[in-house]
Amino acid sequence: MTAPELPKSLEELIAGSVLNNLSHEEAEELRQLLKEYPEFSTEVHQLQEVLELIPYALPEVTTPQHLREAILQAANAEVKSSPAPKRSAFIGRKIAGSIAALLVLVLGLDDYQTRQHLSTMQAQVARQKDVIAMLQNPNTHLVSLKGMDMASAASGSIVMTPGEPKVVLILQNLPVLPQGQSYQLWSVVGGEKIPSGQFNASPQGTVFVKLTTPPSGKVTALVVTIETSPTPNTPYGPMVMTSSL
Amino acid sequence: MPPDSADSRPTNPLSQTDAELFRALKAGQPSALGVVYDRYASLVYKLALRILANPQEAEDLTQEIFLTLWRSGKYNPDRGSLGSFLTTLTRSRAIDRLRSRSTSLKFLQKFSQMMTTETSTPTPFESASLSQRSQYVRDALAQLPDNKRQVLEMAYYEGLSQSEIAKQLNIPLGTIKTWARQALLKLRQNLKDLIE
């Protein structure tokens, strides 16, 4: 330590800043003190390092054996590949990241209560694996859907691969519909709306389904309506979500 | 000063320091990534698994972390230890996934701001094997009073705000803040001889 003596209050303020638990007043006080005694700023660094040592104490777990090989292969592939594929790989990972984030929301992984619903979760994990398999295809992309009118809080994405009829729809904050009504996905092709599957929201307002659409190269937009017929040929009900491709 | 504990690192016959390894990594040597992986994968994976509670996601995140290190070269050995960089990044991205908040960028900014001091020779902690380091931290944490350790761990692993912790434990916010701060300071004191 370079500083001979650290006032206890300053020490606690620094700990608070590393833990991100300072009030506005305390943060201001710390700023002033550090301006006055810049030598103490090394304390911030050191405490940050100490905080990051905590996970060392976690019990040992076995790291999956295939993981090392997978990572080294991916790194080697990047060495060999030209900058262009590297970029698309990056976008792929970005998509994977947003999908993962969205799935977490949809599946409610941060909700302790849902941990009880383990068997449901396992089925969902199987579907996640489908999505992951899709994401391994470099052409797969993500189209966002926005809610409107009675479903204005709804949002989500559709995961699609050009040339592939199967798409995965991941939505949140959709109103739960009364019995006898369903959400209907429409693919707009040449100005015409083609029915592409029905679905309902979970009690939490989330949707995670695999549907079939026309080849996505031809689809120019996606629309969700509310319908009473289980097999409508043309939309009658109100439009609640849209997306343009 | 090369660490003299080569025998405790059977997977690293070269006994390179983390800084040396990272330079090799930046020079595009995949073998260096293998060594870094052998040294830190279990730490990254167990942290990811602790936060995400899902082996598949923990695996994905572990891959993402090592490939980020490989690709971006954002880590700067002059600014902090590699272990801390990896745990900070892992924790940030894991909590990010949990809460679907985009804090990764903020993290990198924060990390570069925080890590502004020189690191020269490895500390005794950095020269120790991973299992020795784990034991050091376990011992240091075990010396904290239970309630303070619990608050510190909740803040660390669950990304909970102090007021969320106060609510969950039904303890006044001021107390939670003080406990967390004291726990962190005590932890540093317990590890002092190893990290300085």
Side-chain angles (χ1 to χ4, degrees), chain A residues 1 6 8 11-23 26 41-72 74-76 78-79 86 90 93 96-97 100-102 104-105 109-110 112 115 121 125 128-129 132, chain B residues 28 30 33-35 37-38 40-43 45-47 49-50 53-54 56-57 59-60 62-63 66-67 70-71 79-81 83-84 87-88 91 97-100 110 114-117 125 130 133-134 137-138 141 152-153 155-158 162 168 177-178 180-182 184-185 187-188 191-192 195-196:
Chain A
M1 245 187 339
L6 188 65
K8 202 165 181 303
E11 199 175 39
E12 288 211 0
L13 284 179
I14 290 174
S17 97
V18 169
L19 289 162
N20 205 13
N21 78 9
L22 292 180
S23 66
E26 287 173 326
S41 58
T42 57
E43 291 287 314
V44 180
H45 162 236
Q46 206 195 32
L47 268 183
Q48 181 75 32
E49 283 268 326
V50 170
L51 182 70
E52 296 304 338
L53 296 182
I54 291 176
Y56 279 100
L58 287 170
E60 298 312 325
V61 293
T62 312
T63 313
Q65 279 190 348
H66 61 270
L67 192 54
R68 185 182 199 272
E69 195 52 33
I71 291 174
L72 292 185
N76 266 315
E78 287 185 12
V79 172
K86 243 174 122 176
F90 176 69
R93 269 183 300 275
L102 200 59
V104 163
L105 258 186
L109 289 185
D110 56 349
Y112 288 104
R115 290 186 188 174
M121 295 279 292
V125 166
Q128 281 189 52
K129 284 189 177 158
I132 289 163
Chain B
L33 183 63
V35 180
Y37 179 89
D38 292 337
Y40 288 107
S42 63
L43 177 66
Y45 181 75
K46 72 183 180 180
L47 175 57
L49 189 63
R50 169 67 177 77
N54 176 323
Q56 183 60 51
E57 272 219 87
E59 205 177 292
D60 291 350
T62 304
Q63 175 153 358
F66 282 98
L67 288 178
W70 168 251
R71 202 178 297 128
R79 291 183 171 180
S81 70
S84 293
T87 51
T88 312
R91 181 166 70 104
R97 283 177 178 220
L98 270 192
R99 303 212 147 192
S100 104
K110 194 172 170 191
M114 291 290 187
M115 308 294 152
T116 51
T117 53
F125 188 86
L130 202 66
R133 296 186 203 183
S134 298
V137 181
R138 269 176 216 143
L141 278 168
L152 186 61
E153 289 182 342
Y156 186 83
Y157 291 120
E158 289 163 43
Q162 311 288 309
Q168 273 196 23
K177 285 187 176 185
T178 310
R181 293 175 192 181
Q182 287 173 351
L184 180 61
L185 292 169
L187 184 64
R188 176 176 60 177
L191 289 165
K192 201 168 190 289
I195 57 173
E196 283 182 4

Side-chain angles (χ1 to χ4, degrees), chain A residues 57-216:
Chain A
L58 287 170
E60 298 312 325
V61 293
T62 312
T63 313
Q65 279 190 348
H66 61 270
L67 192 54
R68 185 182 199 272
E69 195 52 33
I71 291 174
L72 292 185
Q73 268 182 11
N76 266 315
E78 287 185 12
V79 172
K80 287 177 193 144
S81 66
S82 60
K86 243 174 122 176
R87 174 178 288 267
S88 79
F90 176 69
I91 291 168
R93 269 183 300 275
K94 270 183 81 173
I95 290 177
S98 18
I99 283 284
L102 200 59
L103 284 176
V104 163
L105 258 186
V106 168
L107 303 180
L109 289 185
D110 56 349
D111 181 350
Y112 288 104
Q113 286 173 335
T114 58
R115 290 186 188 174
Q116 293 157 359
H117 305 302
L118 200 60
S119 58
T120 322
M121 295 279 292
Q122 277 160 350
Q124 285 167 328
V125 166
R127 271 177 290 168
Q128 281 189 52
K129 284 189 177 158
D130 278 353
V131 176
I132 289 163
M134 285 179 81
L135 289 171
Q136 279 162 350
N137 183 328
N139 297 321
T140 295
H141 59 277
L142 196 62
V143 177
S144 61
L145 282 155
K146 285 203 175 75
M148 53 194 284
D149 294 339
M150 65 164 282
S152 58
S155 64
S157 297
I158 192 159
V159 187
M160 50 204 321
T161 308
E164 284 288 323
K166 291 284 179 201
V167 300
V168 175
L169 193 60
I170 308 168
L171 307 174
Q172 56 173 334
N173 298 330
L174 265 186
V176 178
L177 296 177
Q179 219 169 2
Q181 293 187 354
S182 294
Y183 290 105
Q184 171 76 43
L185 179 72
W186 303 90
S187 306
V188 182
V189 178
E192 263 190 69
K193 293 191 179 79
I194 298 172
S196 307
Q198 282 199 344
F199 56 91
N200 281 302
S202 72
Q204 290 79 35
T206 59
V207 171
F208 186 25
V209 290
K210 206 170 180 178
L211 298 172
T212 307
T213 61
S216 64

